[in-house]
Amino acid sequence: MPKIVDHAARRTEIIEAVWSLIVRKGFIAVTMRELAAEAGYANGALARYFPDKDAVLRAAFQRAFDATNERARAAIGDGGGLTAFRLLCLEIMPLDEVRLAEARVVIGFWDYAAGQPELVEFYDSAMETWREEMRMYLGQARAAGELVPGRPHDRIVDAVLALTMGMQINACFSPRHNTPDRQTAVLEDFLDTISRPAF
């Protein structure tokens, strides 16, 4: 009987190997040869799962994005409004080793994808998913009277994405000034600027 191969499991193993390489050595180490060795495959055997480096790195980014969304869904549950908005932001921020590893993957993806329109479009599509979700939560917050009047939702989303993406960079390159407590304090200060005070 021919051996049954779980291709989805194999793809997951390969993506795990990509992450391991990125966290230990940085994106420069992620060649197909290095990746094959890390995953325990013969050189060239990865082609049936990922035809080239772009496909591998796209999958690595997608894994980080999906993991963030899974954590956010679990944290938010049936919630909404400003509380849900805050919880999504916290899952994007590199507040522990798992999220810091994700930040390293994302930063490496940015560097690799710059100047490659297809990868830039792929990234922008992922960010648009977050933008839509954030706008939905802000709409709920506005309806519930949680937001100060006058601040457009898009401006809030632009600011918080710049804030959280900046935290990913700062936590990787200047960790002593970007501890989890300090990151969280910065987010709370920002949220204070858009929140209607409770009376």
Side-chain angles (χ1 to χ4, degrees), residues 6 17 25 42 49 52 56-57 87 108 112 116 124 127 150 178 193:
D6 186 339
K25 299 182 179 181
Y49 302 103
D52 53 28
V56 171
L57 300 181
L87 290 171
Y112 183 82
Q116 300 194 58
D124 187 55
M127 291 303 97
N178 294 276
T193 69

Side-chain angles (χ1 to χ4, degrees):
M1 250 183 100
K3 183 179 179 181
I4 297 174
V5 177
D6 186 339
H7 292 286
R10 290 280 176 87
R11 284 176 60 89
T12 299
E13 289 172 4
I14 295 166
I15 295 169
E16 292 287 346
V18 174
W19 275 56
S20 179
L21 275 177
I22 293 170
V23 170
R24 291 200 329 271
K25 299 182 179 181
F27 240 56
I28 196 168
V30 185
T31 64
M32 296 304 280
R33 183 180 298 276
E34 286 275 349
L35 177 55
E38 182 75 18
Y41 287 81
N43 191 37
L46 301 184
R48 73 182 65 180
Y49 302 103
F50 298 101
D52 53 28
K53 186 174 178 178
D54 284 11
V56 171
L57 300 181
R58 185 188 294 237
F61 172 81
Q62 188 69 53
R63 178 183 179 273
F65 182 71
D66 290 344
T68 301
N69 291 332
E70 287 167 11
R71 288 193 309 268
R73 282 194 294 269
I76 294 167
D78 295 329
L82 206 53
T83 297
F85 182 84
R86 175 181 178 274
L87 290 171
L88 176 57
C89 292
L90 289 172
E91 293 305 333
I92 298 170
M93 292 159 55
L95 298 176
D96 55 27
E97 287 303 316
V98 170
R99 284 173 281 186
L100 191 59
E102 290 172 358
R104 292 189 184 108
V105 171
V106 170
I107 291 167
F109 180 88
W110 291 339
D111 182 52
Y112 183 82
Q116 300 194 58
E118 287 187 7
L119 291 180
V120 170
E121 184 178 349
F122 169 69
Y123 175 80
D124 187 55
S125 176
M127 291 303 97
E128 188 57 33
T129 300
W130 277 349
R131 286 179 176 277
E132 290 176 4
E133 187 171 354
M134 288 177 175
R135 286 192 291 262
M136 178 185 70
Y137 293 141
L138 290 171
Q140 294 169 351
R142 179 89 59 199
E146 296 178 324
L147 297 182
V148 295
R151 185 87 64 94
H153 292 175
D154 280 339
R155 192 178 301 170
I156 296 172
V157 171
D158 288 346
V160 83
L161 284 177
L163 190 73
T164 53
M165 301 300 106
M167 286 176 180
Q168 289 184 317
I169 294 170
N170 291 339
C172 287
F173 292 101
S174 187
R176 67 192 179 97
H177 294 301
N178 294 276
T179 63
D181 286 346
R182 287 173 74 163
Q183 290 181 57
T184 303
V186 170
L187 176 65
E188 298 302 345
D189 286 348
F190 173 77
L191 293 177
D192 284 346
T193 69
I194 65 171
S195 302
R196 186 189 294 272
F199 295 103

